[in-house]
Amino acid sequence: MCIINPRVDFAFKKLFGSEENKDLLMSLINAIVSEEDRVADIELKNPYNLADYQAGKISILDIKAKSEKGRWYNIEMQISEDYYFDKRAIYYWAKLVTEQLSEGMMFKELKKTISINILDFNFVPDIDEFHNIYKIINTATGKDDKLHDVFELHYIELRKFTKTGAQIVTALDRWSTFLTKAHQLDKHKIPKELAEDRAIVKAVSAVDRMFDEDERKIYEVRMQALAEVESKIASAMDKGLELGKAKGREEGRAEGKEQGRAEGKEEGLYEAKKQIALKLHASGMDQDAIANLTGLSKPDIQQIVQNL
């Protein structure tokens, strides 16, 4: 059984962001994007490097890659719930576009930039489909007209993926199964619906032997921090519920209760993230990493630290 959780961003970065595993990243990308955007080769722009994570200096753990066609890809695994992830996703997409220009390109040379966000929580409201794609369209025609085809954003919501057995037919189904069921997979007894995919077989075999002692320590610290985030969020939600009930009783109507619950949840969640940010700052973690883990902006973190 896989004892390493590949959804934890540090493990995800090594598994898919290492030079020796570029074939796994290409398989994952090709399982998500359209046929015209699939890759035959990629250049990792920020490959995994243990030195980047030593001594608590953990960097942003997204994966940046450029295809042989010149298209750019940003892939991120997010395990902690973040109500503002849409804004973060747009920011990372825009940042990758800016990085193209920093390489000396002119505006006319900008290539299509695709943001792939794999989330271990539900985010897109009122939709059961676990894979949703966003593009810029002409609202009059409902089409993209190919005028702004440099933008494409994907959300893969793993909590919405419920396929099993014979329902698993596509490459994305197989990768989603691997990411959600890794703890149940045995490299000696891989289910037939996964065993036909060489990339999945390699991933199952690789995930448990990819960490040395130093990397495992970083992974365990990351797991502990994520567990604290989840605990704080749960406490914040309980606090929001109680505050909502109190406001609802005070205002004497259901909408008052719901509004109070929402406000209390938001206030409690921010306070939880604030406390986690302070703890991570005290441990020596850099602000980019704290922002990545908590969902707070860097200006928010700077203000929190300044008010110590």
Side-chain angles (χ1 to χ4, degrees), residues 10-73:
F10 179 68
F12 186 89
K13 178 64 179 277
K14 182 168 186 184
L15 183 61
F16 293 101
S18 300
E19 289 290 342
E20 64 267 26
N21 290 334
K22 285 203 305 184
D23 56 330
L24 300 186
L25 181 60
M26 289 189 289
S27 175
L28 179 64
I29 290 173
N30 291 341
I32 295 170
V33 301
S34 65
E35 185 173 352
E36 67 179 273
D37 292 323
R38 290 176 183 169
V39 298
D41 192 19
I42 54 173
E43 173 191 356
L44 289 171
K45 307 300 284 188
N46 62 341
Y48 171 85
N49 185 344
L50 177 60
D52 292 340
Y53 314 116
Q54 297 286 17
K57 294 181 180 180
I58 302 177
S59 302
I60 298 297
L61 292 167
D62 59 339
I63 299 172
K64 300 174 185 176
K66 182 181 178 182
S67 76
E68 80 287 357
K69 299 176 184 176
R71 293 184 174 90
W72 288 63
Y73 300 82

Side-chain angles (χ1 to χ4, degrees), residues 113-127:
T113 303
I114 300 173
S115 176
I116 296 172
N117 305 285
I118 304 174
L119 311 179
D120 197 27
F121 56 91
N122 292 343
F123 182 70
V124 180
D126 305 321
I127 296 179

